[in-house]
Amino acid sequence: PPPSPGLPKFKLAQYRYGREEMLALFNPPAQPPDDLLPVTSLVSEKSLHPLAFSPLSEDEQRSALQSVNSTAVLRVMGRGG
Amino acid sequence: MNNNKFDALKTSDSDDSDNENKDMKEEREPVTPGPGEHALQFAYTFWFTPRFPGRQASSLNFEQNIKYVGTVASVEQFWAYYSHMGRPGDLTGHSDLHLFKDGVKPMWEDPANKEGGKWIVRLRKGLASRAWENLILAMLGEQFMVGEEICGAVVSVRFQEDIISVWNKTASDQATTSRIRDTLKRVLNLPPNTIMEYKMHLDSLKDNSSFRNTDVFVR
C-alpha cells in the first residue's frame, strides 16, 4: 500500500537501519549472553542464523500467495477455513 | 502434537526453579552500546512468558510468570540475543516472547501503554518465526516512521495459531495506527486479503482478554 496520508510531520529517528543494514551487522558471539542463560526454555546454545538468510519453505511460499491467517480467525470472520 | 502439554509443563517448571530470574520490579543497570557498536535509537528489553497450561491468565499471575531475558542497546547486542534464542515456531506449549522499549513493561497497565492499543495478525502455524524476525528488524531499525509511538512487539505461541502484535502508545491517533498497519503489511509481506485486528488496551482490561472482541480490518 502507498504511505498512509494524513500523518503530521514527525521527527526522523537519528539511528535508522534498513533490513539489509541490520543483516550486514550479523556477527554473533559463539556463546549466549549471560542474562539469557537462566531462561532455559528459550536459550539456544548453538548460534542460529537469521531466517532472512534461508529461502522460504514451500509452505511459506504457498501462504504468501494464498492466506497467512489461522483457521481460527478465518472462522470468526465467517470465511470458513 | 500430543506431547505439547507435557513439554510446556516441563519447560515452565525448569524456568520457575531458577531463583536468579530478575523480576519486573528490580532495578537494573542501564545498558549502553559497546565500543564500536551500532547504537539503536532506543534500548529494548526481551521478556518471556512461559504460561502454565489450563491456568487463567490474570494480570497478577501474568506479572509473576514473566521473565526478564535481557536488554539490548545496539544492533550487535540484538544479534547476540536473537541468534541464541529458539525461534518462536519451535517453542513448545503456550508462550509469549516480548520485545519492548526498555522501561516499558509489556503490560496493558504500564503508563506508556494504558492509552494505547495493538495491531494483531493471527497466523497459521509455520509462519510466525519469519514474521517475528521481519517485524523486530523493522522495529529496531526505526522503519515504522511514527516517531516515538511504538511501544513494542509480541509473538504469542498458541496450540492452533501464532499471533504477532505491535503495541503503540496512542490508540486514538488514527493516522499513526494506519501507518503502523500499512508498514506491518509491507515488512511481513502480508497478502492483500490478510485479516488484521486492532484492540485498545482499555478494552483488553475490561474483558481481560488479549485477542477477543477486536476491530477487524481486511485490505
Side-chain angles (χ1 to χ4, degrees):
Chain A
S4 324
L7 195 66
K9 277 194 183 141
F10 55 88
K11 223 173 83 198
L12 210 57
Q14 192 185 352
Y15 298 101
R16 301 184 63 228
Y17 304 92
R19 179 182 171 77
E20 294 305 323
E21 291 170 293
M22 292 290 289
L23 293 169
L25 295 169
F26 177 75
N27 183 23
Q31 298 302 316
D34 289 344
D35 278 350
L36 178 55
L37 286 172
V39 194
T40 50
S41 50
L42 190 60
V43 70
S44 162
E45 286 295 331
K46 207 181 100 194
S47 163
L48 306 170
H49 280 177
L51 288 164
F53 293 174
S54 314
L56 296 183
S57 68
E58 253 177 61
D59 190 35
E60 285 174 318
Q61 287 178 29
R62 209 174 316 121
S63 300
L65 298 170
Q66 296 165 5
S67 171
V68 297
N69 284 125
S70 66
T71 313
V73 72
L74 291 173
R75 204 181 293 129
V76 171
M77 300 309 154
R79 281 210 238 153
Chain B
M1 266 323 225
N2 281 340
N3 289 329
N4 266 353
K5 251 183 208 166
F6 303 103
D7 284 347
L9 270 172
K10 189 177 65 201
T11 53
S12 302
D13 283 344
S14 61
D15 272 345
D16 246 35
S17 59
D18 65 68
N19 47 15
E20 56 216 319
N21 237 318
K22 303 171 187 188
D23 78 8
M24 302 191 86
K25 290 171 195 96
E26 187 178 320
E27 291 290 323
R28 288 179 274 111
E29 289 287 307
V31 173
T32 53
E37 291 183 347
H38 294 77
L40 295 169
Q41 184 74 29
F42 299 95
Y44 285 82
T45 298
F46 282 104
W47 303 90
F48 184 52
T49 321
R51 289 260 179 79
F52 294 93
R55 204 183 289 177
Q56 187 65 39
S58 74
S59 62
L60 182 70
N61 66 36
F62 177 83
E63 192 155 2
Q64 287 164 350
N65 282 351
I66 193 159
K67 310 285 177 192
Y68 172 82
V69 177
T71 303
V72 300
S74 69
V75 179
E76 288 82 355
Q77 290 168 1
F78 162 71
W79 285 124
Y81 275 91
Y82 178 75
S83 70
H84 283 284
M85 269 179 205
R87 299 291 177 243
D90 299 329
L91 295 173
T92 49
H94 203 250
S95 46
D96 297 276
L97 181 59
H98 318 255
L99 183 59
F100 272 67
K101 281 180 181 161
D102 194 31
V104 179
K105 290 179 192 169
M107 303 177 66
W108 306 323
E109 299 87 346
D110 189 276
N113 295 326
K114 66 181 201 314
E115 300 294 319
K118 65 185 174 204
W119 279 106
I120 301 163
V121 189
R122 293 166 59 180
L123 298 169
R124 289 199 294 112
K125 284 290 184 186
L127 305 177
S129 298
R130 198 180 291 266
W132 173 243
E133 180 178 291
N134 289 338
L135 167 58
I136 61 181
L137 291 183
M139 181 174 78
L140 268 57
E142 293 292 330
Q143 300 297 309
F144 276 91
M145 313 280 287
V146 287
E148 304 195 351
E149 267 288 324
I150 300 282
C151 297
V154 188
V155 56
S156 305
V157 177
R158 298 295 181 265
F159 290 115
Q160 309 283 355
E161 59 183 351
D162 296 321
I163 304 164
I164 291 274
S165 333
V166 180
W167 292 32
N168 76 297
K169 247 181 227 175
T170 322
S172 59
D173 180 350
Q174 222 190 331
T176 291
T177 57
S178 305
R179 172 164 283 183
I180 295 170
R181 178 196 61 209
D182 294 345
T183 307
L184 199 54
K185 276 191 72 80
R186 279 195 297 270
V187 301
L188 302 192
N189 297 313
L190 298 175
N193 61 346
T194 304
I195 296 165
M196 303 177 74
E197 302 161 79
Y198 193 84
K199 185 160 187 183
M200 291 171 64
H201 301 318
L202 277 173
D203 291 335
S204 297
L205 273 165
K206 271 184 227 154
D207 62 15
N208 195 27
S209 150
S210 230
F211 305 119
R212 282 195 299 270
N213 308 320
T214 56
D215 293 323
V216 177
F217 298 80
V218 184
R219 290 170 52 98

